[in-house]
């Protein structure tokens, strides 16, 4: 008798759900909107003149519980600077096969160089494509920015950058980048 009533209870749950509204998302055609504070793909931010905020301190790599971040710092050279500090991240990798999207790397970053976006579509067919290099993680160059390496804004130091006093690239920085852009390309060609 108990088996007979148990079957009716089970079918009752099935029939009750058959007439409810469907909550399935039509994913590829209308993707869901994530919550505003959703932890998705990482991005390396830039200062308003184009210099990178990352100073290669490796604190994000130390804070990562999954050991998904690899940072190799290098020293800035005189006027050819990639970041306003003494150092910059020469190599920056995030292995999304290991990343658990916990956000501890974001909290460890002293310069707010690393943040997380709402992008959640990270699937790929090869494992190599899920190891993001620095070029994949760097934020885009917005209007008013010029690509590094170039000197800092004249008369400013790294504290001015971190306090937000730099608003855009100066004409002197643009001239430097234009004058040294061809030389950098030729040097890259010689090494390859």
């Amino acid at each position: 008798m108990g088996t007979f009533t148990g079957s009716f209870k089970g079918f009752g749950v099935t029939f009750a759900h058959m007439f409810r509204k469907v909550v399935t998302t039509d994913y590829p055609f209308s993707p869901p909107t994530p919550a505003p504070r959703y932890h998705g793909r990482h991005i390396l931010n830039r200062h308003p003149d184009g210099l990178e905020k990352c100073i290669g301190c490796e604190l994000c790599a130390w804070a990562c519980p999954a050991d998904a971040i690899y940072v190799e710092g290098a020293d800035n050279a005189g006027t050819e600077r990639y970041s306003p500090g003494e150092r910059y991240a020469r190599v920056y990798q995030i292995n999304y096969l290991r990343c658990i999207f916990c956000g501890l790397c974001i909290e460890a970053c002293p310069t707010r160089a690393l943040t997380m976006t709402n992008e959640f579509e990270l699937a790929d067919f090869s494992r190599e494509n899920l190891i993001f290099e620095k070029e994949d993680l760097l934020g885009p160059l917005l209007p008013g920015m010029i690509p590094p390496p170039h000197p800092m804004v004249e008369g400013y130091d790294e504290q001015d950058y971190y306090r937000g006093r730099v608003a855009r690239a100066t004409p002197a920085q643009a001239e430097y980048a234009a004058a040294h852009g061809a030389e950098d390309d030729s040097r890259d060609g010689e090494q390859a």
Side-chain angles (χ1 to χ4, degrees), residues 2-192:
T3 312
F4 188 68
T5 57
S7 296
F8 276 116
K9 286 182 183 177
F11 285 125
V13 170
T14 303
F15 286 122
H17 282 278
M18 283 177 60
F19 302 108
R20 288 186 182 172
K21 184 180 178 221
V22 178
V23 293
T24 306
T25 307
D26 192 15
Y27 170 64
F29 306 109
S30 59
T33 305
R37 295 182 59 174
Y38 175 77
H39 288 178
R41 189 177 85 83
H42 297 79
I43 189 168
L44 283 172
N45 297 311
R46 297 177 184 266
H47 286 288
D49 66 345
L51 288 178
E52 301 163 7
K53 286 188 175 183
C54 182
I55 57 172
C57 66
E58 303 176 22
L59 288 175
C60 54
W62 282 96
C64 182
D67 199 23
I69 301 175
Y70 175 72
V71 181
E72 192 175 300
D75 293 332
N76 278 314
T79 57
E80 285 194 12
R81 304 184 73 81
Y82 289 89
S83 73
E86 295 175 10
R87 297 169 47 89
Y88 72 99
R90 189 174 63 81
V91 176
Y92 199 103
Q93 296 176 343
I94 296 181
N95 185 345
Y96 281 109
L97 297 169
R98 289 184 173 181
C99 182
I100 58 174
F101 299 96
C102 63
L104 292 175
C105 54
I106 307 304
E107 292 179 24
C109 185
T111 61
R112 300 292 298 152
L114 188 64
T115 54
M116 295 177 99
T117 64
N118 284 349
E119 185 180 338
F120 60 90
E121 296 174 331
L122 294 170
D124 206 317
F125 291 107
S126 77
R127 296 176 66 85
E128 292 83 23
N129 292 343
L130 290 172
I131 299 174
F132 281 46
E133 302 287 335
K134 181 179 175 180
E135 295 78 30
D136 304 324
L137 296 167
L138 270 175
L141 287 168
L142 301 174
M145 294 182 178
I146 52 175
H150 58 74
M152 292 192 300
V153 174
E154 183 136 0
Y156 285 72
D157 62 356
E158 64 242 20
Q159 294 300 320
D160 295 321
Y161 274 84
Y162 299 126
R163 290 183 179 127
R165 294 183 180 146
V166 176
R168 61 183 4 251
T170 62
Q173 288 175 310
E175 288 173 15
Y176 181 90
H180 292 84
E183 292 176 17
D184 291 340
D185 293 341
S186 65
R187 259 188 270 141
D188 292 341
E190 289 171 8
Q191 290 176 355

